[in-house]
């Protein structure tokens, strides 16, 4: 799937200092409602899978079937956009083999349970993920300890963890490092921070934090608002 990698939203990280997030680190996408946070997270997952990695997708709002259906829809859009011929559904099988979905509904998510599930995947199924997608965590209600715990899990299992954070038009809080709400008070725990912005000329990903670089240049990637693929 080299065609996909060439138009992946993660092309923005090709311009970053380390060309990616990396094991043991947390990354976050900040966006308002309706700007495609989940779609971008799934594109991150697909990028990792098509680079021969393994993914754990953790959903806090949808069941496993619903989460899997998002992958199917986005992959179908991808096939159409790139004119890919996948007669035998080989790419779908690659996705299914290299992705596990864990769902924690009705506020059943906690770090101990997540750690136990990751250990079970490793020991019982010999599934060792390279990255985790965590979709649906409420940044406004979650305490700092949750993110510190996720950082520990990322280091313990040597995986990178990607999250999404919901911002609001009416809340303009921003810290001295230029990081916006709701990540502005915990940005030290994240190695990569990306903002999804809708502008008159399209939808853009903008890099707000790049590991330990103190001052970063204006790094952005324009996305197709329908497929969320990078526009070359």
């Amino acid at each position: 799937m080299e065609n996909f990698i060439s138009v992946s939203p993660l092309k923005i990280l090709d311009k970053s200092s380390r060309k990616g997030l990396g094991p043991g680190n947390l990354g976050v996408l900040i966006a308002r409602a309706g700007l495609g946070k989940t779609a971008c997270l799934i594109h991150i997952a697909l990028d990792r899978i098509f680079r021969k990695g393994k993914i754990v997708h953790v959903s806090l709002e949808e069941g496993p079937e619903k989460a899997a259906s998002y992958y199917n829809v986005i992959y179908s859009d991808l096939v159409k956009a790139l004119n890919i011929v996948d007669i035998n559904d080989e790419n779908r099988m690659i996705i299914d083999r290299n992705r596990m979905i864990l769902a924690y509904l009705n506020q059943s998510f906690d770090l101990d349970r997540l750690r136990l599930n990751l250990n079970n995947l490793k020991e019982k199924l010999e599934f060792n993920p390279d990255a985790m997608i965590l979709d649906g965590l409420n940044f406004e209600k979650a305490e700092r300890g949750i993110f510190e715990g996720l950082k520990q899990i990322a280091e313990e299992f040597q995986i990178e963890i990607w999250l999404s954070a919901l911002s609001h038009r009416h809340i303009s809080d921003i810290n001295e490092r230029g990081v916006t709400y709701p990540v502005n008070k915990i940005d030290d725990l994240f190695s990569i921070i990306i903002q999804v912005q809708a502008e008159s000329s399209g939808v853009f990903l903008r890099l707000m934090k790049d590991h330990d670089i103190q001052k970063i240049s204006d790094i952005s990637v324009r996305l197709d608002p329908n497929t969320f693929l990078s526009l070359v």
Side-chain angles (χ1 to χ4, degrees):
M1 283 293 287
E2 293 182 1
N3 287 347
F4 169 65
I5 293 173
S6 69
V7 294
S8 166
L10 277 198
K11 282 181 63 177
I12 191 171
L13 296 187
D14 291 340
K15 305 176 183 180
S16 68
S17 62
R18 301 187 190 178
K19 310 296 184 184
L21 179 55
N25 296 321
L26 304 184
V28 62
L29 295 169
I30 305 174
R32 295 198 302 271
L35 281 186
K37 294 186 301 300
T38 296
C40 286
L41 286 177
I42 290 176
H43 275 306
I44 290 173
L46 293 177
D47 183 275
R48 289 290 173 260
I49 289 171
F50 290 134
R51 293 179 190 268
K52 305 185 184 305
K54 295 182 183 294
I55 289 289
V56 170
H57 184 107
V58 178
S59 175
L60 306 189
E61 297 179 334
E62 307 285 358
E65 297 82 8
K66 186 70 172 179
S69 72
Y70 288 148
Y71 280 82
N72 291 333
V73 169
I74 289 175
Y75 176 72
S76 295
D77 290 342
L78 177 62
V79 167
K80 293 177 183 177
L82 298 179
N83 295 315
I84 296 172
V85 178
D86 190 13
I87 298 175
N88 298 317
D89 281 343
E90 293 181 3
N91 289 318
R92 289 185 188 273
M93 289 189 288
I94 291 172
I95 294 170
D96 291 340
R97 282 198 305 266
N98 294 286
R99 179 206 64 208
M100 289 288 183
I101 298 176
L102 303 175
Y104 301 89
L105 306 181
N106 303 315
Q107 299 181 338
S108 61
F109 174 75
D110 67 63
L111 296 175
D112 289 337
R113 188 179 178 194
L114 176 61
R115 182 178 280 105
L116 176 62
N117 289 154
L118 290 175
N119 275 319
N120 285 338
L121 289 178
K122 180 178 181 180
E123 295 170 4
K124 297 180 179 179
L125 299 179
E126 296 184 352
F127 189 89
N128 297 301
D130 302 284
M132 178 192 299
I133 303 298
L134 179 52
D135 191 20
L137 184 62
N138 190 327
F139 274 59
E140 293 179 300
K141 294 183 178 180
E143 297 181 354
R144 181 182 174 89
I146 292 291
F147 300 100
E148 291 175 338
L150 288 171
K151 176 70 172 175
Q152 291 173 356
I153 287 174
E155 294 172 348
E156 178 182 343
F157 289 90
Q158 277 301 285
I159 58 176
E160 59 182 51
I161 300 179
W162 284 96
L163 303 92
S164 62
L166 177 64
S167 61
H168 301 286
R169 188 186 303 272
H170 63 281
I171 302 178
S172 57
D173 295 357
I174 184 171
N175 65 21
E176 64 273 14
R177 292 171 296 281
V179 178
T180 58
Y181 177 91
V183 187
N184 53 314
K185 294 184 179 179
I186 53 172
D187 60 302
D188 59 299
L189 297 174
F190 291 90
S191 298
I192 292 285
I193 300 176
I194 298 172
Q195 187 172 32
V196 187
Q197 293 180 312
E199 301 179 5
S200 58
S201 55
V203 177
F204 290 84
L205 294 184
R206 297 194 184 281
L207 192 60
M208 300 184 72
K209 182 179 180 181
D210 178 11
H211 292 278
D212 53 0
I213 302 298
Q214 294 298 315
K215 186 176 181 179
I216 62 176
S217 57
D218 183 17
I219 298 176
S220 65
V221 168
R222 185 183 176 193
L223 303 181
D224 183 315
N226 296 313
T227 65
F228 292 95
L229 296 175
S230 170
L231 294 172
V232 180

